[in-house]
């Protein structure tokens, strides 16, 4: 009474009242599905299946033609037959015929209520076949103008196929896999849910849909017109002219996919969050073919994956998530052998994330892939100089680009600039005077070569002027600096260097005017402010310079306000950060001032101690800048004879970095001024233990402890090594003064000159960009 028909790996029971045409249809479907399962690799590689090599496909095709030619099937079964014939046309490479069959399928019949669950599968397969056929159909020269419309239609088919496939899987899960509500057990045995090729394609089409969605979000959706995925659009958006239909209107199925909810689900709140979330999901779905016979499929999937990573880079870079970008690109390395673009993106992301060692390695690999590209070694050079201080490595890479000659094109001057910077930095670290002189000569030659190759490069001219200033050729440095300023008049480094050169030429008033001009354009630059303090001290005395220190403290607090970030403990005294210079004055030189001043100082020190243990958040340079401000204020107070105020400032700096050799050195100077020579000696010893190469500290210590001759020798060596150190020249002047030498005044004058010029301390030679 029941007929049996093979359907894939399952057996289907057929009622006896069905016609022979339906039996033929079921047999054709079974043969076709078996053929598709046996040839999945050929289907994925887009290899057409031929009748002469696929007997099951040939038999299924014959049965379908016979059924369709008789025309006796009911409408619902006719749709199934048309869809099966669309499958046959598609797998044989006749995409236009497949598209025609899909057009004849009555989608309205498949989407009616009270239809069997498997109709959702038919719906998903119909849209998947139509979308795939549109993608693979050739475009003629006449119809090329409609390519954009075809892409939109294809994407719409994939979107609907994906939703229908998800609905089918959810409904199937309810009817087959869910236990019975009363018995607690399933009434049916577990079923092996083996998905066919086209149902898999329908589900995987979500990859392209998500990729397209991310492109739309990142390119055309503004923050003002965005609303969360689970929230309704604003009423103004729905009522505006030309508003699109609601989302439910575009789905052809009466049962859209069920949305799962959970407390741990993340819902994006802006357009960038949604784009990044969509792309991360898309990345997890990326499958790259690795088999040698699937080269074409691998290239197509690799292009899609590359688009995902490019869009991820765009989305995450808007939020500064460079570390996350690099992690995503590192996952792509498993299929990126010899793929330059992904390697290059990884190197740039590692560079932006501050992972210098990895970035240099990646750029070296990029150089191997494209040895003719001179920009790749220079990117590694930039990291070696700025982040890693690998001068030998940077010099080797720079010289490699320089050796390319004219083939390096516009990068050749930059290569010589890098060579010059490397030699200049090596000179600043050389311990032997002969080596230092040799490095300085090589630096000048390289920088001069760079300027001759590109005389319109303001940065090269500025660095040439700086190198001339470092070797004390102040007058010669003015010419390239004027060229740099004529090309880029608002460059902060060029304006700063001009200020220092004018100061070194004994023109403090023009130097201060130039500095004020630079500050009008860059009011928050601490390097400029530190130089302003020195100039004001030389022109107007330490009391006037203290006002600038007060402004620096206020600027620091407004830029790096950490007072609201700390956790407030109930019942405890709220710590506060004192960023105001002390105004109390007392003629006494006692270590512990009395009365109101004593209580203020004691309270300030205790609260700063709280701050040092709970408030030091963020990058280290923030706090080193604050330490420099306090120490600078301490120097000015000592120069003004206000030792208690100097002690306050030194204490503030000490709370930030108690073991800083600069703090210990200034505490030693304060002890000297108070006549506590033994205490000063101990502090100098500590500073020298922390900073063993501080020859000026050692020389000053030897002079203050009575070993003047030995101290004078050490300080002469310090002057030879650090010819631009005003501390070394000042210490040598003190030693020579103790020995009664007539050279002492010259040393003091040199120290004053360097104190005004100070080319190293407020102004770094390390380049910010190449």
């Amino acid at each position: 009474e029941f007929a049996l028909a093979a359907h894939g790996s399952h057996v289907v029971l057929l009622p006896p009242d069905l016609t022979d045409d339906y039996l033929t249809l079921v047999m054709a479907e079974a043969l076709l599905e078996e053929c598709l399962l046996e040839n999945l690799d050929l289907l994925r590689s887009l290899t057409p299946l031929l009748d002469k090599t696929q007997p099951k496909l040939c038999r299924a095709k014959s049965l379908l033609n016979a059924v369709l030619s008789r025309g006796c099937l009911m409408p619902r079964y006719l749709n199934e037959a048309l869809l099966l014939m669309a499958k046959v046309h598609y797998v044989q490479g006749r995409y236009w015929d497949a598209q025609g069959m899909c057009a004849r399928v009555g989608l309205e019949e498949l989407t009616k209520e009270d239809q069997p669950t498997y109709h959702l599968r038919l719906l998903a397969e119909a849209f998947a076949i139509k979308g795939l056929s549109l993608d693979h159909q050739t475009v003629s020269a006449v119809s090329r103008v409609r390519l954009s419309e075809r892409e939109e239609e294809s994407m719409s088919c994939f979107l609907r196929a994906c939703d229908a496939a998800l609905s089918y899987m959810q409904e199937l899960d309810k009817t087959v896999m869910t236990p019975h509500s009363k018995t607690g057990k399933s009434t049916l045995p577990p079923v092996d849910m083996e998905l066919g090729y086209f149902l898999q394609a329908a589900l995987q089409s979500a990859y392209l849909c998500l990729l397209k969605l991310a492109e739309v979000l990142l390119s055309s959706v503004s923050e003002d017109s965005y609303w969360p995925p689970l929230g309704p659009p604003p009423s103004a958006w729905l009522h505006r002219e030309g508003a699109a239909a609601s989302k439910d209107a575009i789905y052809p199925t009466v049962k859209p996919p069920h949305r799962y909810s959970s407390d741990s689900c993340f819902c994006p709140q802006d357009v960038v969050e949604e784009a990044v979330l969509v792309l991360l999901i898309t990345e997890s779905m990326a499958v790259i073919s690795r088999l040698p016979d699937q080269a074409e499929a691998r290239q197509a999937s690799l292009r899609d994956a590359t688009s995902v990573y490019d869009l991820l880079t765009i989305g995450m870079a808007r939020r500064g998530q460079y570390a996350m970008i690099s992690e995503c690109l590192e996952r792509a390395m498993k299929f990126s052998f010899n793929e330059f673009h992904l390697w290059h993106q990884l190197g740039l992301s590692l560079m932006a994330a501050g992972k210098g060692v990895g970035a240099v390695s990646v750029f070296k690999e990029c150089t191997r892939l494209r040895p003719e590209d001179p920009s790749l070694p220079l990117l590694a050079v930039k990291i070696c100089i700025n982040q890693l201080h690998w001068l030998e490595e940077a010099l080797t890479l720079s010289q490699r680009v320089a050796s390319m000659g004219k083939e390096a094109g516009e990068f050749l001057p930059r290569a010589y600039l890098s060579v010059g910077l490397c030699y200049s930095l090596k000179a600043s670290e050389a311990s032997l005077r002969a080596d230092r002189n040799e490095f300085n000569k090589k630096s000048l030659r390289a920088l001069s070569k760079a300027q001759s190759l590109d005389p319109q490069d303001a940065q090269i001219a500025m660095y040439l002027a700086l190198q001339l200033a470092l070797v004390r050729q102040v007058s010669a440095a003015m010419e390239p600096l004027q060229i740099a300023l004529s090309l880029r008049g608002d460059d902060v480094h060029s304006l700063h260097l001009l200020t220092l050169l004018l100061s070194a030429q004994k023109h403090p008033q023009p130097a201060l005017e130039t500095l004020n001009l630079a500050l009008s354009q860059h009011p928050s630059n601490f390097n400029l402010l530190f130089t302003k303090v020195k100039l004001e001290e030389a022109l107007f005395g330490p009391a006037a310079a203290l006002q600038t220190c007060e402004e620096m403290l206020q600027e620091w607090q407004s830029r790096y306000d950490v007072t609201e970030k700390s956790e407030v403990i109930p019942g405890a005294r709220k710590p506060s950060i004192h960023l105001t210079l002390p105004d109390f004055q007392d003629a006494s030189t006692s270590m512990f001032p009395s009365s109101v001043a004593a209580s203020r100082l004691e309270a300030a020190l205790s609260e700063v101690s709280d701050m040092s243990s709970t408030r030091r958040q963020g990058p280290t340079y923030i706090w080193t800048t604050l330490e420099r401000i306090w120490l600078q204020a301490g120097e000015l107070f000592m120069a003004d004879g206000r030792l208690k105020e100097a002690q306050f400032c030194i204490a503030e700096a000490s709370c930030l970095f108690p073991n800083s050799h600069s703090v210990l050195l200034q505490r030693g100077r304060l002890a000297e001024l108070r006549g506590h020579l033994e205490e000063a000696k101990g502090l100098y010893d500590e500073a020298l233990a922390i900073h063993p190469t501080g020859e000026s500290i050692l020389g000053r210590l030897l002079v203050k402890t009575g070993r003047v001759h030995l101290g004078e020798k050490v300080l002469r060596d310090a002057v030879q090594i650090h010819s631009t150190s005003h501390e070394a020249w000042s210490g040598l002047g003190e030693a020579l003064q103790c020995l009664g030498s007539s050279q002492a005044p010259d040393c003091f004058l040199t120290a004053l000159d360097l104190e005004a010029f100070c080319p190293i301390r407020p102004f770094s030679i390390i380049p910010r960009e190449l």
Side-chain angles (χ1 to χ4, degrees):
E1 290 81 16
F2 282 85
L4 299 179
H7 186 166
S9 58
H10 309 294
V11 176
V12 181
L13 299 179
L14 302 176
D17 57 344
L18 292 182
T19 63
D20 292 340
D21 283 344
Y22 186 78
L23 293 175
T24 305
L25 176 63
V26 173
M27 183 61 68
E29 181 181 8
L31 292 170
L32 177 59
E33 293 298 330
E34 283 187 355
C35 176
L36 298 182
L37 289 174
E38 292 171 359
N39 296 277
L40 285 178
D41 291 338
L42 293 177
L43 293 174
R44 290 172 181 145
S45 62
L46 303 180
T47 302
L49 305 182
L50 304 179
D51 291 342
K52 60 182 179 181
T53 59
Q54 302 293 337
K56 292 182 181 180
L57 178 62
C58 182
R59 176 60 176 161
K61 182 178 178 182
S62 299
L63 293 175
L64 288 173
N65 283 326
V67 170
L68 291 173
S69 62
R70 285 193 293 269
C72 298
L73 287 174
M74 297 172 57
R76 58 186 296 181
Y77 300 135
L78 177 62
N79 288 332
E80 297 180 26
L82 292 173
L83 180 58
L84 292 176
M85 185 57 72
K87 289 183 183 180
V88 172
H89 289 319
Y90 178 83
V91 299
Q92 290 191 327
R94 297 193 295 271
Y95 303 121
W96 183 266
D97 294 336
Q99 184 180 349
M101 287 294 173
C102 290
R104 293 175 57 186
V105 174
L107 296 181
E108 65 281 355
E109 294 293 331
L110 298 177
T111 57
K112 286 183 179 179
E113 295 187 8
D114 300 327
Q115 294 292 326
T117 300
Y118 80 92
H119 274 205
L120 291 173
R121 175 178 62 85
L122 298 179
L123 186 67
E125 291 181 341
F127 279 116
I129 293 172
K130 183 178 180 181
L132 292 171
S133 299
L134 286 170
D135 275 354
H136 298 312
Q137 186 176 332
T138 58
V139 181
S140 64
V142 177
S143 61
R144 190 173 298 275
V145 294
R146 301 183 57 190
L147 180 60
S148 177
E149 296 179 0
R150 175 173 297 178
E151 290 179 351
E152 291 182 2
E153 184 180 3
S154 173
M155 192 58 59
S156 176
C157 290
F158 287 141
L159 180 63
R160 299 180 182 188
C162 178
D163 282 343
L166 288 174
S167 298
Y168 167 70
M169 299 295 293
Q170 289 171 343
E171 293 297 322
L172 195 64
D173 183 68
K174 292 178 183 178
T175 58
V176 178
M177 306 300 295
T178 305
H180 195 274
S181 59
K182 294 183 179 180
T183 63
K185 296 181 180 180
S186 177
T187 57
L188 295 175
V191 178
D192 184 12
M193 297 172 61
E194 187 173 8
L195 304 179
Y197 170 76
F198 291 100
L199 191 58
Q200 292 182 35
L203 291 171
Q204 291 174 357
S205 64
Y207 181 89
L208 294 176
C209 295
L210 292 173
L211 181 58
K212 185 68 176 180
L213 173 60
E215 291 178 351
V216 172
L217 287 170
L218 290 175
S219 63
S220 60
V221 178
S222 66
E223 296 282 350
D224 297 335
S225 63
Y226 176 84
W227 62 88
L230 301 183
S235 58
W237 176 267
L238 292 177
H239 293 93
R240 71 185 181 92
E241 183 179 357
S246 62
K247 184 179 180 182
D248 295 335
I250 69 173
Y251 292 120
T253 173
V254 295
K255 294 182 178 180
H258 173 68
R259 289 173 176 169
Y260 297 98
S261 61
S262 173
D263 294 337
S264 60
C265 284
F266 170 77
C267 182
Q269 297 300 315
D270 58 53
V271 62
V272 178
E273 284 186 5
E274 181 172 354
V276 171
L277 177 61
V278 166
L279 288 167
L280 289 174
I281 297 172
T282 309
E283 182 209 9
S284 66
M285 300 170 64
V287 178
I288 307 298
S289 304
R290 297 185 180 89
L291 298 178
D293 58 344
Q294 299 179 359
E296 185 177 351
R298 182 184 188 279
Q299 288 301 318
S301 57
L302 185 61
R303 283 195 300 270
D304 291 338
T306 302
S307 299
V308 171
Y309 289 112
D310 289 346
L311 292 173
L312 270 173
T313 301
I314 295 172
M316 292 182 181
R318 293 184 181 181
R319 300 298 173 87
Q321 298 291 335
Y322 302 111
M324 193 172 182
I325 297 174
S326 63
E327 292 174 3
C328 293
L329 288 168
E330 283 174 353
R331 292 195 293 269
M333 289 297 101
K334 59 189 176 185
F335 54 76
S336 299
F337 177 71
N338 281 345
E339 294 295 335
F340 171 80
H341 178 69
L342 290 176
W343 279 94
H344 193 210
Q345 290 288 85
L346 175 60
L348 293 174
S349 65
L350 290 171
M351 181 180 180
K355 301 177 181 179
V357 176
V360 171
S361 299
V362 171
F363 283 131
K364 285 184 177 180
E365 177 65 17
C366 292
T367 303
R368 184 191 66 80
L369 295 174
R370 289 191 181 177
E372 74 283 357
D373 190 345
S375 67
L376 302 172
L378 289 182
L379 284 171
V381 168
K382 179 177 180 179
I383 301 169
C384 290
I385 294 177
N386 288 350
Q387 297 182 15
L388 304 176
H389 205 66
W390 291 356
L391 299 182
E392 289 295 337
E393 184 77 17
L395 186 60
T396 302
L397 293 170
S398 302
Q399 290 173 337
R400 178 188 302 176
V401 178
S403 64
M404 296 173 65
K406 294 183 179 179
E407 294 180 0
E410 62 181 354
F411 294 100
L412 186 58
R414 291 281 158 167
Y416 280 103
L417 170 62
S418 302
V419 172
L421 291 174
C422 290
Y423 279 128
S424 181
L425 291 171
K426 287 169 69 70
S428 66
E429 298 179 352
S431 57
L432 298 179
R433 185 175 184 179
D435 292 341
R436 185 170 63 256
N437 291 339
E438 183 64 25
F439 288 143
N440 281 327
K441 290 179 182 178
K442 291 182 178 180
S443 176
L444 283 175
R445 283 199 297 267
L447 292 171
S448 300
K449 177 68 172 179
Q451 191 190 32
S452 65
L453 291 171
D454 190 357
Q456 299 301 313
D457 192 309
Q459 193 177 47
I460 292 176
M462 188 275 295
Y463 277 117
L464 176 59
L466 176 60
Q467 182 59 30
L468 290 169
L470 290 175
V471 296
R472 310 301 295 161
Q473 298 183 31
V474 177
S475 300
M478 293 297 292
E479 181 179 353
L481 184 58
Q482 289 174 353
I483 296 175
L485 287 170
S486 66
L487 295 170
R488 192 186 301 173
D490 61 343
D491 180 56
V492 61
H493 300 308
S494 299
L495 291 172
H496 195 179
L497 183 56
L498 177 59
T499 301
L500 298 173
L501 291 177
L502 291 172
S503 174
Q505 292 176 320
K506 301 294 189 283
H507 302 305
Q509 187 61 44
L512 184 59
E513 293 173 358
T514 303
L515 186 62
N516 288 330
L517 174 62
L519 283 170
S520 67
Q521 301 178 18
H522 309 277
S524 302
N525 189 293
F526 282 110
N527 282 335
L528 295 178
L529 291 170
F530 278 114
T531 304
K532 183 180 179 182
V533 169
K534 295 296 183 182
L535 290 173
E536 287 181 335
E537 182 184 10
L539 285 171
F540 312 117
L546 282 169
Q547 180 62 36
T548 302
C549 284
E550 182 74 32
E551 295 173 1
M552 292 169 69
L553 289 173
Q554 294 173 0
E555 175 65 29
W556 187 94
Q557 187 165 21
S558 64
R559 189 190 303 185
Y560 311 118
D561 186 9
V562 295
T563 57
E564 298 180 359
K565 297 180 181 179
S566 61
E567 182 179 355
V568 179
I569 303 174
R573 175 170 50 85
K574 181 179 178 180
S576 61
I577 182 167
H578 281 266
L579 293 184
T580 304
L581 293 181
D583 57 0
F584 53 86
Q585 299 190 42
D586 192 341
S588 172
T589 57
S590 171
M591 181 70 73
F592 301 101
S594 58
S595 69
V596 179
S599 62
R600 288 183 58 184
L601 182 59
E602 183 180 357
L605 294 180
S606 62
E607 293 190 358
V608 169
S609 298
D610 291 339
M611 180 273 294
S612 66
S613 61
T614 61
R615 299 300 186 101
R616 279 182 51 186
Q617 305 170 2
T620 304
Y621 74 86
I622 294 176
W623 302 100
T624 55
T625 300
L626 182 59
E627 179 204 29
R628 287 181 60 196
I629 297 173
W630 283 121
L631 291 179
Q632 180 65 76
E635 287 185 11
L636 294 174
F637 276 125
M638 284 189 287
D640 201 30
R642 299 166 61 180
L643 302 188
K644 285 188 302 179
E645 289 87 341
Q647 178 190 347
F648 177 92
C649 296
I650 297 172
E652 294 276 8
S654 179
C655 288
L656 293 170
F657 298 99
N659 297 322
S660 168
H661 75 278
S662 299
V663 172
L664 293 171
L665 178 61
Q666 198 162 118
R667 287 176 60 192
R669 290 177 179 175
L670 182 62
E672 280 186 43
L673 293 175
R674 286 175 167 165
H676 304 154
L677 298 183
E678 287 300 321
E679 180 185 354
K681 177 181 179 301
L683 291 169
Y684 286 143
D685 281 332
E686 293 181 36
L688 189 61
I690 295 173
H691 187 54
T693 58
E695 293 86 353
S696 59
I697 300 176
L698 177 59
R700 199 179 188 92
L701 172 63
L702 292 172
V703 171
K704 292 301 179 182
T705 54
R707 292 168 286 181
V708 181
H709 289 282
L710 182 58
E712 185 256 348
K713 181 178 182 304
V714 171
L715 287 165
R716 285 191 181 276
D717 292 339
V719 167
Q720 292 294 322
I721 297 173
H722 304 289
S723 61
T724 58
S725 171
H726 77 281
E727 293 179 352
W729 282 102
S730 177
L732 180 59
E734 291 180 10
L736 294 174
Q737 189 177 42
C738 293
L739 294 174
S741 173
S742 60
Q743 297 178 349
D746 293 335
C747 293
F748 285 127
L749 289 175
T750 303
L752 290 174
D753 177 25
L754 292 171
E755 179 73 9
F757 178 53
C758 47
I760 297 294
R761 297 202 303 168
F763 183 70
S764 174
I765 190 177
I766 298 178
R768 294 300 177 189
E769 59 183 18
L770 289 178

